[in-house]
Amino acid sequence: STACLPLDPAATAHTVPASAPRGADSGDVLANAECAALRRTLDACRWNISATAVRLHLSRRTVYRKMYRHGIARHDLDGTPGE
């Protein structure tokens, strides 16, 4: 089974302050939120891409594409980039 760890509700509940930038910078806010959500889900699923894709309702290809877009790479346990 490719079960994921449960997500911590406190870690996923984010609010945007009223002083948050609007307009052109909102893309950065959305990209940062997407990147953070992807990292949290990858960690919760122990970097199992298939399980991450299921949890996020995305295809595996889309998960890989978003990882590439955000510069997310799997690291080995010793902290060095994976192959």
Side-chain angles (χ1 to χ4, degrees):
S1 170
T2 58
C4 298
L5 298 174
L7 288 176
D8 178 10
T12 58
H14 296 286
T15 58
V16 178
S19 62
R22 303 267 184 233
D25 292 334
S26 66
D28 291 337
V29 172
L30 290 175
N32 290 340
E34 179 181 69
C35 182
L38 182 56
R39 284 182 186 275
R40 281 192 312 272
T41 307
L42 284 163
D43 286 339
C45 293
R46 297 181 181 101
W47 286 81
N48 180 313
I49 303 300
S50 295
T52 297
V54 168
R55 179 172 272 197
L56 294 175
H57 304 282
L58 299 171
S59 69
R60 287 176 59 244
R61 172 86 174 111
T62 299
V63 172
Y64 280 113
R65 190 178 319 118
K66 289 178 182 292
M67 288 173 64
Y68 178 79
R69 180 183 309 143
H70 294 296
I72 299 172
R74 181 177 183 161
H75 295 276
D76 292 333
L77 296 177
D78 64 0
T80 59
E83 296 179 351

